[in-house]
Structure formats: structure tokens, C-alpha cells
Amino acid sequence: MRMLALYSIKGGVGKTASAVNLAAEAAAAGQRVLLWDLDPQAATTFYLRAKPKVRGGVARLVKGKAAYDKVIRATQVENLDLLPAALASRELDHLLAERHDNQLRRILKPIRDDYDLVILDCPPSLSTLSESVFASVDALLVPIVPTVLSLRTLEQLRDFLDERDIPCPVWPFITLADRRRTLHREIIDSLPERWPLRLSHTIPSASVVERMGLERAPLRSFAPRTAAAQAYHQLWEEVAQRLS
Ligand SMILES: Nc1ncnc2c1ncn2[C@@H]1O[C@H](COP(=O)(O)OP(=O)(O)OP(=O)(O)O)[C@@H](O)[C@H]1O
Ligand SMILES: [Mg+2]
């Protein structure tokens, strides 16, 4: 079972949009995918039309497989299931604090044969939860809006991981890109040199991505021929190639 996280310290950079679209692309490619909404704002849960309530809370999850059947929802996307954002974050933080580093991976142990890929949609913070994310995933997918500040938070993340010797690969990719803007172009073109592990496919800034909130579905379900949908398709292929 592979695990990836959409992660950034910065808010509003496209983590949730990317988590939903990449999960849908992976599912369309035949993988059995679980999307875990770790953000109490529950945007992923909203996009996939699931109600953000888990009866019994997160403690229930550690009790074994039967409990999962009650909390995991199928979505309207084939092969894509959702673990909704019901886990009150304090409760989850508490659970993580008292257990092992890679607690998120451990929590999923009873269902690890049911999924090929788990994608985590993370809140924009650096907390106990994020440290467990770093210890659990195969890589962090970090959306970068092509601005100086966004690059700075990427460097802060790298410093944080380096200082603590956390061996978690960081795969940045550009999103919300507008190639008509000189600064965007300059930052996009400079990324390969500064970040050799960056993913090469760029997600454009496109109003169709904002429409996901109205359609409540991944791009490939309602606008598969748009540039943004194609970009997510290609980005997923690149990620899949790295994982294999
Ligand atoms: N490629 C894009 N083009 C245009 N708008 C986008 C794009 N990606 C995301 N958005 C919009 O930007 C806003 C923030 O996106 P999103 O919710 O995915 O970010 P986030 O990093 O998950 O935010 P948060 O940190 O609050 O969880 C949303 O309104 C979304 O519709
Ligand atoms: Mg989000």
C-alpha cells in the first residue's frame, strides 16, 4: 500500500483540489484508492459529496477492520473511497502523540490489503499530525504557487525535515500557474535547478478548477478535456512512474 500526502505549510495553494484530482486519476488508472481527508475544514469530503461525520470518532478506527466498514464511504468515482474528515483534530492529535511516529500508516493496517494507494489531504500546518504524515508516506506532494513566498515555505519545509533527519522525499509541483506573468515564468523555469525532484507537469490557473466546488466532482468527471484536467492526468502519470 503506497501512501502520498498533499502537503504544504501554506494555505490555499491547491492541496485539496490536487488530492481529489490525483486520487480520481489514480482510480481511473485502475488503482484502488483511499482518500483520507485530514483537514477539519473537510473540503475534500465536501467535493466528494460525503457527509463529514464518523460515528464513534477516530478511536474507533484503531479497533480493527469492521470499524472501517462503518466509516469509509464509497464515492461516485469508481475505485475511489473516502475516509471523511470527522476526526476531530484534537482527538487525532492526542492519539498520534501517545503512539508511534508512523501512526497514520499503522492506523490503516487492518485495511492495507484493500487499497493500492492512500492519498492524504493535509491541513496547512506543521503539527504532531504532520510529523506522523512525514513518517508514514512514500512522498510529500507539495503544490507551489509560483510566488517567492510559496518557494520560501518549501525551503522552510526542507529545513524542518533536514534538521530532524526525516527521510521523507519532497516532490514539489507548480499549480495555479499563469505563464503570461513574467514572475511566474521565471519561478517555473528556475524550479528544476533548485528542486531536482520537482514534478515536471504544471497545473494551470483555471476557473474550471474552482467549478469543482459547484460540481462537487473531480475534473475528469465533468471537464475531462480541459487543460487543467489533462495536466492532472499527466501529473498523475509522472507520480505513478516514480512510485513504480
Ligand atoms: N489550478 C487552479 N486554478 C484555479 N483555482 C484553483 C486551482 N487550484 C485551486 N484553486 C482554487 O483555489 C482555492 C484553494 O484551493 P484548495 O482548497 O485546493 O487549496 P488548499 O491548499 O487545500 O487550501 P487549504 O490550505 O485551505 O486547505 C479554491 O477556491 C480552489 O478552487
Ligand atoms: Mg485543503
Side-chain angles (χ1 to χ4, degrees), residues 6 11-17 19 37 39 41-44 47 121-124:
L6 271 295
V13 292
K15 294 181 291 296
T16 298
D37 188 356
D39 190 340
Q41 292 177 81
T44 291
Y47 279 142
D121 182 27
C122 301

Side-chain angles (χ1 to χ4, degrees), residues 144-159:
I144 302 297
V145 180
T147 62
V148 175
L149 280 182
S150 191
L151 277 179
R152 215 176 136 248
T153 59
L154 182 59
E155 268 141 31
Q156 287 168 340
L157 172 63
R158 178 171 59 191
D159 292 347

Side-chain angles (χ1 to χ4, degrees), residues 15-71:
K15 294 181 291 296
T16 298
S18 301
V20 170
N21 286 309
L22 291 172
E25 289 298 331
Q31 304 222 28
R32 297 165 304 162
V33 185
L34 178 68
L35 185 51
W36 188 350
D37 188 356
L38 286 170
D39 190 340
Q41 292 177 81
T44 291
T45 304
F46 174 80
Y47 279 142
L48 291 170
R49 293 175 185 267
K51 291 203 190 91
K53 184 151 167 54
V54 174
R55 256 173 296 138
V58 67
R60 171 162 208 150
L61 291 180
V62 287
K63 285 187 191 144
K65 185 154 171 153
Y68 283 89
D69 298 337
K70 299 214 169 64
V71 293

